[in-house]
Amino acid sequence: MLDKIIFIAYAIFMLVGGYFGWKKGSSVSLVAGIGSSFLMFLGVWLMTVNPRGAYIFLSCVTGVLSVVFLIRLIKTQSFMPSGMLLIVTLALLVFTLLRLPQQSS
């Protein structure tokens, strides 16, 4: 249950971040926030159906998001928001990968 709460919190975090990016004039941030939140909520739902598959799916999503935030950080050379999002997403990726072996096949 704690895992689901962590992933839901991250999904809400991404959704709120997309909203604030949109308020600053970036519609791409809104679309990316909604899209990543949807994928995270889908992963939480998959935990009820297939926990191992859900963790693999969530690892892929957080891995791709980490790459995206790293590219944005390199491109903008600005820690906020990409650097902060990179740190949070990498932490979630590590959390997900550490939980993966605990899931039954």
Side-chain angles (χ1 to χ4, degrees), residues 25-76:
S26 173
S27 57
V28 174
S29 291
L30 181 63
V31 172
I34 291 171
S36 58
S37 293
F38 172 77
L39 292 174
M40 295 306 290
F41 283 124
L42 179 62
V44 170
W45 175 78
L46 281 173
M47 284 182 183
T48 61
V49 179
N50 179 3
R52 182 160 177 80
Y55 279 89
I56 292 170
F57 175 76
L58 290 167
S59 296
C60 293
V61 171
T62 54
V64 168
L65 287 172
S66 296
V67 170
V68 168
F69 293 136
L70 178 62
I71 291 170
R72 284 182 54 201
L73 178 63
I74 292 169
K75 183 179 176 183
T76 63

Side-chain angles (χ1 to χ4, degrees), residues 12-25:
I12 293 170
F13 177 70
M14 295 301 289
L15 192 59
V16 169
Y19 170 75
F20 281 114
W22 175 72
K23 290 291 280 182
K24 287 194 159 219

